[in-house]
Amino acid sequence: MEVTTEDKIIQAAEKIFVRDGYDGARMQDIANEAEINKALLHYYFRSKEKLFQQILRRKMQAFLPKIQKIVHTDLPVLGKLEAIVEGYLQMLFANPRLPIFLIYSAYRDPSILEHMPREIFDDLIRFLRKAIKEGELKKVDPEQLVVSIMGMCVFPFVARPIASHMLGKDEEQYSIFLKKRKKEILRVLEELTIDSGGDK
Amino acid sequence: MEVTTEDKIIQAAEKIFVRDGYDGARMQDIANEAEINKALLHYYFRSKEKLFQQILRRKMQAFLPKIQKIVHTDLPVLGKLEAIVEGYLQMLFANPRLPIFLIYSAYRDPSILEHMPREIFDDLIRFLRKAIKEGELKKVDPEQLVVSIMGMCVFPFVARPIASHMLGKDEEQYSIFLKKRKKEILRVLEELTIDSGGDK
DNA sequence: GTCTATATACAGATAGAC
DNA sequence: GTCTATCTGTATATAGAC
């Protein structure tokens, strides 16, 4: 299984675009990163814009499928929420700059959102609504709750430079802070669930 | 009180930089917005970089002082949290693109954070710690809680295009969603406070 | 397919008249 | 202080040899 030139370009372009954004990225940087010539980029993808669109689409599709599986597993509310938060945070640890890249790109050209799968959200919201009806979850707006969960997960990664400065933490301390995040988010979510067993 | 050319430039530059970011902004666009000639921008601010730094500093200082006042008022935990969330959301409604501008700018050049006041955070965290010790708030990590609150407030504004798409809402529906946000965030925070009165 | 060399476009910055 | 005209650098994109 050889690595084709196209693969090398895609790899390199992902790195540079995600790091620098469309406007900040330079074709020369991508070429350097791929260890090929700048002209080859155009040979394979015609233009910066077209290359960017490819990368964006790939990145969007890598975004949610893991979460989707979790949503469809059969777990009690808190267990499912825990799995979702964990899966989501895992993705963020592996791709800390992905959310801001996607967010920024969506401002630049909202039409790209057409390619973004939406069912995961719907399924999750449906699940939460059912959980409320069945008395496993306190009465909250499920849509609002999903956004709150995403916010609690994503924000410390997206706003990392500002947040670490605000908290007076260096890189290492902030990494530790992030690792404790799951427990603390679940601490909050716990309070929203209703303990049917009564034990604990 | 006349509007000086410098004022016009600053106004215009704020709008364009906040909207497009440093890389995306064009000096020509700023000049057009200010209804002056491009050369005048350089006459007043020498370079794009210098103009940007000015704007950034101004925007950073407009960011938190309102919150600071609230933190220093004498209110019970939930009341203070409510005031903070409200003030914060108000600022976000008035400046929806400010956070992403600041975040993105901080990635570009982290040294700008030196100009960002930090005491507000410290004060708030101290306050929360005290509230926990005095039994008004459940045992959570105050730093984590502050980040969670910020995340819940900021995320739906920062990620607006993606979030509205995910939820299948148009502009108007999403605005309504945002207006309900305060109540829902407080709903979550309520569960973290300890009702000393015992009523309700 | 891959390279070097070059064309083209445009943005930031300056010169100089008024 | 404000303008028009221009310079200079640099980024995307193409031509053409190998």
Side-chain angles (χ1 to χ4, degrees):
Chain A
M1 186 56 193
E2 50 175 334
V3 179
T4 67
T5 301
E6 191 167 339
D7 290 339
K8 285 202 293 181
I9 292 175
I10 287 175
Q11 278 284 96
E14 283 189 359
K15 176 174 171 184
I16 302 298
F17 275 132
V18 170
R19 193 188 63 194
D20 299 339
Y22 180 82
D23 291 319
R26 296 290 95 114
M27 294 295 265
Q28 185 63 59
D29 292 342
I30 295 171
N32 292 346
E33 183 71 28
E35 293 177 307
I36 51 134
N37 190 278
K38 212 174 44 157
L40 264 191
L41 297 177
H42 291 91
Y43 176 79
Y44 278 93
F45 295 91
R46 282 192 59 84
S47 71
K48 181 183 181 182
E49 183 65 39
K50 285 202 166 42
L51 175 55
F52 178 74
Q53 296 291 343
Q54 291 273 336
I55 300 306
L56 192 53
R57 232 175 266 201
R58 287 174 59 92
K59 281 294 174 187
M60 267 187 331
Q61 274 145 18
F63 195 40
L64 294 171
K66 294 169 209 160
I67 312 291
Q68 188 155 29
K69 274 184 203 155
I70 299 167
V71 175
H72 292 145
T73 54
D74 194 30
L75 283 170
V77 191
L78 195 57
K80 195 176 277 199
L81 288 177
E82 177 170 356
I84 288 170
V85 169
E86 171 151 23
Y88 204 57
L89 289 174
Q90 234 166 46
M91 186 277 292
L92 287 164
F93 273 109
N95 310 281
R97 301 210 40 167
L98 184 57
I100 195 151
F101 169 70
L102 293 177
I103 289 167
Y104 219 76
S105 302
Y107 275 109
R108 187 176 165 276
D109 171 20
S111 73
I112 56 135
L113 291 167
E114 307 298 326
H115 306 286
M116 197 148 206
R118 237 184 57 187
E119 313 83 50
I120 307 116
F121 252 63
D122 290 343
D123 292 346
L124 180 52
I125 286 164
R126 244 193 304 278
F127 169 77
L128 291 175
R129 190 166 289 129
K130 185 158 150 276
I132 292 167
K133 195 176 286 174
E134 293 176 359
E136 298 175 280
L137 193 66
K138 293 184 181 169
K139 285 199 176 100
V140 293
D141 181 328
E143 291 185 339
Q144 297 273 356
L145 178 58
V146 170
V147 169
S148 292
I149 293 172
M150 288 194 70
M152 287 191 284
C153 289
V154 172
F155 179 76
F157 287 86
V158 162
R160 175 168 189 153
I162 292 179
S164 63
H165 173 261
M166 291 288 206
L167 295 172
K169 296 191 187 303
D170 61 29
E171 289 297 304
E172 198 192 331
Q173 292 170 324
Y174 196 75
S175 290
I176 295 169
F177 175 82
L178 285 178
K179 284 193 196 109
K180 293 185 189 148
R181 195 95 196 109
K182 180 191 157 193
K183 206 183 67 185
E184 289 293 325
I185 293 171
L186 285 168
R187 179 80 184 78
V188 173
L189 296 179
E190 237 168 46
E191 300 290 341
L192 293 175
T193 57
I194 296 162
D195 198 343
S196 64
D199 53 345
K200 190 210 168 178
Chain B
M1 187 56 193
E2 50 175 334
V3 179
T4 67
T5 301
E6 191 168 339
D7 290 339
K8 284 201 294 182
I9 293 175
I10 287 175
Q11 278 284 94
E14 284 189 0
K15 176 173 169 183
I16 302 298
F17 275 132
V18 170
R19 192 188 64 195
D20 300 338
Y22 180 82
D23 291 319
R26 296 291 98 112
M27 293 296 264
Q28 185 63 60
D29 293 342
I30 295 171
N32 291 346
E33 182 72 27
E35 295 178 305
I36 52 135
N37 191 278
K38 208 173 49 156
L40 264 190
L41 297 177
H42 290 91
Y43 175 78
Y44 278 93
F45 294 92
R46 281 192 60 85
S47 71
K48 181 183 182 183
E49 182 66 39
K50 284 202 169 42
L51 175 55
F52 178 74
Q53 296 292 343
Q54 291 272 335
I55 301 306
L56 192 53
R57 234 176 264 201
R58 287 174 59 92
K59 281 294 176 188
M60 267 187 329
Q61 273 144 18
F63 195 41
L64 294 172
K66 295 168 208 160
I67 312 291
Q68 188 154 29
K69 275 184 204 156
I70 301 167
V71 175
H72 290 144
T73 54
D74 194 29
L75 284 169
V77 191
L78 196 56
K80 195 175 277 197
L81 288 177
E82 177 171 356
I84 289 169
V85 169
E86 171 151 24
Y88 204 57
L89 289 175
Q90 234 166 47
M91 186 276 292
L92 287 163
F93 272 109
N95 310 280
R97 299 209 44 166
L98 184 57
I100 196 151
F101 169 69
L102 294 177
I103 289 167
Y104 219 76
S105 301
Y107 275 109
R108 187 176 164 275
D109 171 19
S111 71
I112 56 138
L113 291 167
E114 306 297 326
H115 305 286
M116 196 149 207
R118 236 184 58 187
E119 313 82 50
I120 307 116
F121 251 64
D122 290 343
D123 292 347
L124 180 53
I125 286 165
R126 242 193 306 278
F127 169 77
L128 292 174
R129 190 167 290 130
K130 187 159 150 276
I132 292 166
K133 194 177 288 175
E134 293 177 358
E136 301 175 280
L137 194 66
K138 291 185 181 169
K139 284 199 176 103
V140 293
D141 182 328
E143 291 184 339
Q144 296 274 356
L145 178 57
V146 169
V147 170
S148 292
I149 294 172
M150 288 194 70
M152 287 191 284
C153 289
V154 173
F155 178 76
F157 287 86
V158 163
R160 175 168 189 152
I162 293 179
S164 63
H165 174 261
M166 291 287 205
L167 294 172
K169 296 190 187 301
D170 61 28
E171 290 296 305
E172 196 191 332
Q173 291 170 325
Y174 195 75
S175 289
I176 295 168
F177 175 82
L178 285 178
K179 284 194 197 107
K180 294 186 190 147
R181 195 94 197 110
K182 181 191 156 192
K183 205 183 68 184
E184 288 294 324
I185 293 172
L186 285 168
R187 179 80 183 79
V188 173
L189 296 179
E190 239 168 44
E191 301 290 342
L192 294 174
T193 57
I194 296 162
D195 199 343
S196 63
D199 54 346
K200 185 201 170 188

